[in-house]
């Protein structure tokens, strides 16, 4: 059992799952239609669960 948000009893779901009707449901897989949530590491984009873009850092060094 779970609660949609953390409660005093700590009833929450694991990352990549969501609380729906009082039970934890696994997130939808890559390439599948977004359900209650997408699996861990995926984002809902245009109605489908897709891998999120990795953050890219660029360092520019000025030559002295």
């Amino acid at each position: 059992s779970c609660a949609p948000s953390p409660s005093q009893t700590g009833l929450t779901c694991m990352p990549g799952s969501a609380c729906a009707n009082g039970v934890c449901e696994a997130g939808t897989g890559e390439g599948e239609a977004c359900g209650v949530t997408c699996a861990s590491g995926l984002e809902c984009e245009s109605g489908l669960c897709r891998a999120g873009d990795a953050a890219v850092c660029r360092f520019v060094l000025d030559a002295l």
Side-chain angles (χ1 to χ4, degrees):
S1 63
C2 61
S5 58
S7 65
Q8 289 179 341
T9 56
L11 298 174
T12 57
C13 298
M14 298 287 291
S17 63
C19 189
N21 300 317
V23 294
C24 293
E25 289 187 9
T28 307
E30 187 169 8
E32 298 177 338
C34 302
V36 175
T37 189
C38 293
S40 185
L42 302 177
E43 299 174 357
C44 186
E45 183 181 308
S46 301
L48 298 175
C49 291
R50 301 191 186 276
D53 293 331
V56 176
C57 297
R58 290 185 192 183
F59 295 95
V60 177
L61 300 175
D62 291 329
L64 296 176

